[in-house]
Amino acid sequence: MDHSDFLRAEDLPAFERILDRALGSPLIQEGRRRNPGSPNNEQLRTRALGARTAIAASAAAEYRAYRQLLDDSGDVAKARGSARRESGEGAAARGSALHAVAVLVPGLSATAAVVFGVIGFGFRAVDSHSHLAEVMLGAGAVAAGVAVVTVLAGLVGLLVVAAGNRSTKPDGDAEVDRAREAWREALLERGMLPFLVDTIRPPSPEAVDAPGDGDSSGSPTSVAASSPRRPAVPPCARAPHDA
């Protein structure tokens, strides 16, 4: 198996979640009920974690595709982040100035509207036909209108920025999500469930009772294999009476 097919450390939690999902599936629960002597969930989990390399091999193609897309999306995100930082440095001063204006203008306008309104109503209380009272009240109305307009403009700006952030999400993220889901389904269907089913299934009587080839104690093969062999003695090393 290629090294890239092995599970990386950051994917082990996903492997364990899929294992828990498989252990809780109706297929495995029904298999355990039909075989009372089968391992319990904790034993099955331990065995599956011990065989995770073999289980992961069943979905090696999907895992390789998922990791490739994930690495590519990471490189693209880094490149976009670098370009965003470079462009953001030039716009930082403009953004801070606009932010200050957006915060100060509504507050100052509202304060001016209140002040002009109080002064205008004060002059009107003294003289109901005062021209200065009408001017102050008009100025207060204008300031109140400016405050309302700037608040609405700020809300619209926030909505536009939020919509822009959602629309600038890279398409690669959706591809990575689909590849991750395909890997998880393949790991569950082709790796995890078959392994657990084989672990729960009891061995067949034929497999238990059938003797191995050439392993019976009475067979010539076993006798020959168990009997010691006398090493060959070269002619020059024989005793005189053996010659």
Side-chain angles (χ1 to χ4, degrees), residues 68-150:
Q68 183 64 41
L69 286 174
L70 189 63
D71 294 340
D72 292 344
S73 65
D75 295 339
V76 172
K78 290 179 181 178
R80 291 182 177 178
S82 177
R84 192 179 299 111
R85 284 193 300 270
E86 293 177 357
S87 62
E89 290 175 357
R94 296 192 301 271
S96 60
L98 292 174
H99 181 71
V101 170
V103 171
L104 291 175
V105 169
L108 293 175
S109 300
T111 303
V114 171
V115 171
F116 289 147
V118 170
I119 294 174
F121 283 114
F123 282 131
R124 178 174 289 182
V126 174
D127 184 5
S128 60
H129 299 288
S130 174
H131 177 69
L132 185 58
E134 298 298 332
V135 172
M136 288 297 177
L137 291 175
V142 172
V146 171
V148 172
V149 170
T150 52

